[in-house]
């Protein structure tokens, strides 16, 4: 008689959460000195200008906001992106930074230098570049001003900055940039008298007024950045034992353990969760698996990089597993909790995103009544139609697990998903519209970034299936027939329905069709058609090519040998790099384990695995960190598609001409 392992029945709840939010969004690829005291101009070292001026151009005053992506506390993190972005798309910039970091990722250090802590709380005030600022309601912004064009060698510049409270003056060599803090909401008139030799001084004048753009990110795991921990897990060469659902002693298998873990690695030698959690991957918000690599963060950051006269205040609220009902309107289960040295209990829930957004806006308006929300980036809907159940139906292949998972509701069907899409999704979207209108006003300022189909390759052909990329768990195998069925459903029914819902088209009823339309982005979908989870290329990382078998036999099946060497290849699992360019822009299950290997600590105690070798944990470790979600490259490509839509809604190109005209040069009045 087959004995199902104790507590395996709860796997239904767990795997739904693990796969919850297998959402894919994408986008087509597009293209330090300490600040002075407030109000006091100061010379600063040269920093890269956002707009390049030809050397033989007429002299003009150029200015830019420093460290203008205000989530970053330190300017060095912002300059990394401005340096890599020159002449490149977000995707190209991401690929360059991946190579520069040797695949370890640019966010691994920046994650500890944010104006939002690891629990998701905004730091008020936040100390940015040694100056305390209100994050939600800044009163001033650091600005760098310089004289550009054909500047006479050795010329002297007498600068004056007047924001209505009298001029502040400073005289410097014209080759020196100058730094001051511009007051929010006021125009500062900048004037410079340029003196060179015996010639009469020339006067140039311009107006400096910083626009602070307030952006919120809402939605599910695609919106949060699932699959891309800011600091990936470190794996050891030794094996770690997991049980299978068959209860016999032989029903065990080994996979790479966490580096630094000193506890019991054999199934017969369990250890405490606290010991295990000390070597977790790091997210800038573990409860929601929010990542700096998410398309929402990259879009907001790219706006700051591209437009030097704005500052971007970004509030990330998206959460893995969110639905419209549970996530946006109501609280939801946490993904996991950050490692806690104090041993504090894990808070198992996350507050509703809309409630958090209202609270932040109300707090901002109390300090500044005219503060408003300028833009919402949104992706939602995949969990509402149980896309995770469709994925489970595709990849869970062994008979025992399929019976168990179907009984507990983990495995879904296209018919059930189709019914939810027709019954629940339109009503949910209507309710969401009515909730967003008071927050953002014009619904065109809600930029809905659609999902991409994660199953496509070779220009739109569904992946062939098989164990390649999914052999991290013995029960996984992407069934070709079920995979093709789900792929066709997503491509031909779900994605078109999302577009109709966002745009009030195709029979979707909206109270005011012209005023209720969101701004819709799906240009990335064509790019993802070549980069599904099965895409492979000769220039993929060497570790992937040598260690992830195309036949699905990457891991040693012999538990005696695997305890010391779980992989068949002769390389260390620690050589895997989550942030190297790859043909696939979708994490497969192997990627999920090697990048994040997430333990479901945030779930209720009653649903927790019995111990860290439990069969339930074995399944979740393979998917809970982002299987079938975009890679950092995928998110960058998504941001490339979202960027022009966001800039258009904000009218940034109209306000920021690419080739500003040089000011008229006049001699100063010396009467």
């Amino acid at each position: 008689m087959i004995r199902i392992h104790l507590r395996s029945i709860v796997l239904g709840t767990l795997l739904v959460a693990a796969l919850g939010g297998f959402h894919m969004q994408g986008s087509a690829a597009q293209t330090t000195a300490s600040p002075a005291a407030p109000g006091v101009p100061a010379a600063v070292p040269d920093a890269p200008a956002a707009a390049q001026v030809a050397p033989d151009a007429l002299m003009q005053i150029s200015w830019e906001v420093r460290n203008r992506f205000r989530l970053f506390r330190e300017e060095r993190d912002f300059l990394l992106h401005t340096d890599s972005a020159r002449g490149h798309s977000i995707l190209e910039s991401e690929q360059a930074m991946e190579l520069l970091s040797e695949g370890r990722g640019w966010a691994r250090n920046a994650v500890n230098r944010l104006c939002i802590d690891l629990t998701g709380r905004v730091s008020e005030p936040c100390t940015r570049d040694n100056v305390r600022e209100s994050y939600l309601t800044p009163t001033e912004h650091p600005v760098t001003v310089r004289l550009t064009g054909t500047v006479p060698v050795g010329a002297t510049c007498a600068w004056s900055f007047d924001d209505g409270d009298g001029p502040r003056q400073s005289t410097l060599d014209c080759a020196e940039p100058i730094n001051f803090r511009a007051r929010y909401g006021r125009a500062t008139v900048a004037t410079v008298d340029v003196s060179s030799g015996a010639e009469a001084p020339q006067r140039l004048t311009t107006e400096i007024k910083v626009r602070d753009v307030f952006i919120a990110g809402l939605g599910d795991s695609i919106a949060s950045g699932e699959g891309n921990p800011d600091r990936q897990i470190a794996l050891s060469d030794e094996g770690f034992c997991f049980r299978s659902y068959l209860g016999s002693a032989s029903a065990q298998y080994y996979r790479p353990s966490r580096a630094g873990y000193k506890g019991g690695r054999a199934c017969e030698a369990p250890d405490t969760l606290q010991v295990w959690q000390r070597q977790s991957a790091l997210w800038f918000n573990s409860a929601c698996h929010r990542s700096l690599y998410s398309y929402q963060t990259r879009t907001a950051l790219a706006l700051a990089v591209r437009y030097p006269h704005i500052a971007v205040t970004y509030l990330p609220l998206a959460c893995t597993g969110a639905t419209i009902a549970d996530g946006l309107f109501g609280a939801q289960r946490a993904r996991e909790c950050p490692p806690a040295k104090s041993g504090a209990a894990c808070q198992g829930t996350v507050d509703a995103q809309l409630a958090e957004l209202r609270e932040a806006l109300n707090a901002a308006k109390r300090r500044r009544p005219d503060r408003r929300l300028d833009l919402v980036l949104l992706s939602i809907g995949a969990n509402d139609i149980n896309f995770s159940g469709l994925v489970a139906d595709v990849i869970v292949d062994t008979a025992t697990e399929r019976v168990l998972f179907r009984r507990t509701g983990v495995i879904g069907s296209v018919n059930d998903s189709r019914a939810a899409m027709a019954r629940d999704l339109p009503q949910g979207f209507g309710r969401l519209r009515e909730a967003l209108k008071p927050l953002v006003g014009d619904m065109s300022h809600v930029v809905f970034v659609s999902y991409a189909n994660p199953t496509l390759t070779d220009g739109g052909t569904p992946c062939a299936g098989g164990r390649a990329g999914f052999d991290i768990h013995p029960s996984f195998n992407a069934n070709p027939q079920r995979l093709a069925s789900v792929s066709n459903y997503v491509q031909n029914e779900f994605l078109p329905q999302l577009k109709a819902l966002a745009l009030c088209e195709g029979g979707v009823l909206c109270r005011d069709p012209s005023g209720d339309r969101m701004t819709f982005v799906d240009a990335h979908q064509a790019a993802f058609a070549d980069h599904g989870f099965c895409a492979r290329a000769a220039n993929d990382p060497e570790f992937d090519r040598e260690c992830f078998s195309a036949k699905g036999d990457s891991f040693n099946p012999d538990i005696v040998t695997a305890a010391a060497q779980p992989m068949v290849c002769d390389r260390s699992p620690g050589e895997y790099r989550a942030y190297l360019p790859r043909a696939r822009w979708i994490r497969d299950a192997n990627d999920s384990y090697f990048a994040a290997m997430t333990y479901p600590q945030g779930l209720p105690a009653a649903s927790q695995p019995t111990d860290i070798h439990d069969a339930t944990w074995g399944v979740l470790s393979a998917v809970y960190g982002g299987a079938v979600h975009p890679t950092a490259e995928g998110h960058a490509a998504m941001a490339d598609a979202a960027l022009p839509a966001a800039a258009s809604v904000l009218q940034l190109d109209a306000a920021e001409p690419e080739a500003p005209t040089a000011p008229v040069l006049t001699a100063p009045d010396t009467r």
Side-chain angles (χ1 to χ4, degrees):
M1 178 176 173
I2 296 176
R3 179 169 62 89
I4 301 296
H5 189 271
L6 180 65
R7 301 176 77 87
S8 62
I9 298 301
V10 303
L11 184 65
T13 301
L14 294 172
L15 192 57
V16 165
L19 302 179
F22 277 21
H23 329 149
M24 291 274 155
Q25 302 155 347
S27 92
Q30 303 244 347
T31 57
T32 62
S34 299
V40 179
V44 294
D46 194 15
Q52 301 296 316
V53 179
D56 58 349
L58 294 175
M59 283 191 298
Q60 63 179 13
I61 298 173
S62 297
W63 64 276
E64 62 177 317
V65 183
R66 294 175 69 93
N67 195 11
R68 51 191 176 269
F69 186 60
R70 301 186 61 253
L71 187 67
F72 290 161
R73 286 195 283 114
E74 298 186 14
E75 188 176 23
R76 56 177 165 167
D77 295 317
F78 180 68
L79 292 179
L80 175 67
H81 291 270
T82 59
D83 290 345
S84 65
R86 288 195 183 94
H88 296 116
S89 66
I90 304 171
L91 174 60
E92 291 166 340
S93 174
E94 172 62 34
Q95 291 168 334
M97 289 188 292
E98 289 185 348
L99 294 173
L100 185 66
S101 70
E102 297 181 332
R104 292 174 172 84
W106 57 265
R108 70 191 187 282
N109 297 319
V111 66
N112 290 319
R113 300 192 289 259
L114 304 176
C115 282
I116 294 178
D117 67 21
L118 296 179
T119 67
R121 291 176 299 192
V122 172
S123 301
E124 281 287 13
C126 182
T127 300
R128 302 181 67 248
D129 298 316
N130 302 317
V131 176
R132 284 163 62 89
E133 301 176 356
S134 169
Y135 185 69
L136 295 177
T137 53
T139 59
E140 56 188 21
H141 293 89
V143 172
T144 296
V145 185
R146 52 173 51 85
L147 192 63
T148 58
T150 306
V151 181
V153 177
T156 299
C157 282
W159 291 94
S160 174
F161 298 91
D162 191 348
D163 61 10
D165 287 343
R168 292 156 288 169
Q169 297 175 332
S170 184
T171 300
L172 301 167
D173 186 298
C174 288
E176 295 290 333
I178 196 165
N179 191 33
F180 80 104
R181 297 186 70 84
R183 293 191 186 184
Y184 178 85
R186 286 197 189 185
T188 298
V189 177
T191 303
V192 62
D193 292 333
V194 183
S195 301
S196 177
E199 297 181 4
Q202 294 178 307
R203 173 168 290 178
L204 294 82
T205 300
T206 195
E207 185 178 88
I208 296 173
K209 188 173 183 179
V210 178
R211 178 183 175 188
D212 192 286
V213 179
F214 190 4
I215 300 174
L218 302 176
D220 52 31
S221 56
I222 295 304
S224 72
E226 178 67 277
N228 300 280
D230 298 281
R231 189 179 300 158
Q232 74 173 75
I233 193 79
L235 298 178
S236 76
D237 297 350
E238 299 172 320
F240 182 86
C241 179
F242 294 107
R243 300 185 186 93
S244 294
Y245 283 97
L246 298 176
S248 64
S250 62
Q252 301 177 357
Y253 63 97
Y254 278 83
R255 294 297 181 261
S257 183
R258 290 181 174 183
Y261 172 66
K262 304 301 183 184
R265 294 184 295 106
C267 282
E268 295 75 25
D271 209 327
T272 64
L273 179 60
Q274 288 72 23
V275 173
W276 181 253
Q277 284 295 88
R278 290 171 190 161
Q279 286 78 38
S280 297
L282 181 63
W283 308 79
F284 87 76
N285 180 266
S286 296
C288 286
H289 277 192
R290 291 180 195 141
S291 166
L292 291 173
Y293 295 104
S294 80
Y295 88 84
Q296 295 191 340
T297 303
R298 294 308 303 272
T299 300
L301 174 55
L303 288 169
V305 168
R306 177 167 295 190
Y307 298 98
H309 293 179
I310 70 169
V312 173
T313 299
Y314 171 59
L315 186 62
L317 297 172
C319 197
T320 286
T323 65
I324 294 175
D326 299 323
L328 291 186
F329 282 99
Q332 66 171 99
R333 279 286 162 197
R335 200 62 165 178
E336 62 171 323
C337 290
K341 295 181 181 179
S342 63
C346 176
Q347 183 178 352
T349 59
V350 177
D351 291 339
Q353 295 173 42
L354 289 172
E356 287 196 81
L357 180 55
R358 281 192 210 96
E359 182 180 347
L361 278 173
N362 290 337
K365 287 180 180 293
R366 282 194 296 269
R367 292 190 290 267
R368 183 181 302 130
D370 64 345
R371 187 60 156 155
R372 67 175 187 175
L373 182 62
D374 296 291
L375 189 76
V376 170
L377 296 168
L378 173 67
S379 296
I380 197 72
N383 291 329
D384 298 77
I385 58 103
N386 191 26
F387 188 61
S388 62
L390 301 181
V391 174
D393 186 36
V394 169
I395 69 173
V396 176
D397 201 47
T398 53
T400 299
E401 280 79 1
R402 285 191 66 80
V403 170
L404 173 63
F405 294 171
R406 185 172 283 112
R407 186 181 304 160
T408 54
V410 172
I411 290 180
S413 70
V414 169
N415 285 338
D416 289 343
S417 178
R418 186 180 287 126
M421 183 174 66
R423 179 185 64 245
D424 302 328
L425 206 54
Q427 182 179 359
F429 258 78
R431 186 182 174 204
L432 180 57
R433 268 195 182 85
E434 296 307 309
L436 286 172
K437 283 179 183 178
L439 301 177
V440 74
D442 186 345
M443 285 301 293
S444 70
H445 285 241
V446 177
V447 178
F448 188 97
V449 180
S450 185
Y451 306 102
N453 190 332
T455 69
L456 302 179
T457 188
D458 297 330
T461 303
C463 291
R467 283 180 53 77
F470 291 91
D471 53 337
I472 191 68
H473 193 278
S475 72
F476 288 174
N477 179 36
N479 178 275
Q481 291 75 32
R482 297 194 295 266
L483 176 58
S485 175
V486 168
S487 181
N488 290 332
Y489 166 67
V490 169
Q491 191 69 26
N492 299 321
E493 297 183 53
F494 177 53
L495 295 180
Q497 177 66 359
L498 278 180
K499 185 172 185 177
L501 288 167
L503 296 178
C504 299
E505 296 176 348
V508 173
L509 298 179
C510 296
R511 291 189 180 183
D512 177 14
S514 61
D516 285 352
R517 292 191 184 101
M518 302 175 184
T519 296
F520 187 78
V521 174
D522 63 357
H524 54 283
Q525 291 173 355
F528 270 84
D530 290 309
H531 297 284
F533 66 75
C534 63
R536 300 291 185 271
N539 59 350
D540 278 350
E542 189 174 315
F543 178 89
D544 295 27
R545 289 185 280 115
E546 292 189 7
C547 294
F548 290 153
S549 166
K551 298 179 180 179
D553 52 8
S554 309
F555 302 97
N556 199 323
D558 179 72
I559 61 173
V560 175
T561 306
Q565 188 175 355
M567 301 204 71
V568 172
C569 71
D570 292 327
R571 304 184 68 133
S572 166
E575 295 180 48
Y576 174 84
R577 295 290 178 263
Y579 301 108
L580 283 176
R582 290 175 168 84
R584 63 185 180 279
W585 291 354
I586 306 297
R587 299 282 188 211
D588 55 32
N590 292 3
D591 292 323
S592 175
Y593 187 98
F594 276 67
M597 196 195 187
T598 302
Y599 193 91
Q601 186 186 8
L603 291 172
S607 299
Q608 285 290 324
T610 55
D611 61 63
I612 59 176
H613 300 283
D614 189 275
T616 298
W617 163 219
V619 172
L620 296 185
S621 66
V623 296
Y624 211 67
V628 197
H629 285 74
T631 65
E633 286 181 277
H635 277 284
M638 293 155 50
D640 272 321
L643 178 62
S648 176
V649 166
L650 296 170
Q651 299 183 318
L652 292 176
D653 290 312
E656 297 283 345
E658 290 188 6
T661 57
V664 176
L665 306 183
T666 61
D669 188 352
T670 58
R671 291 178 295 176

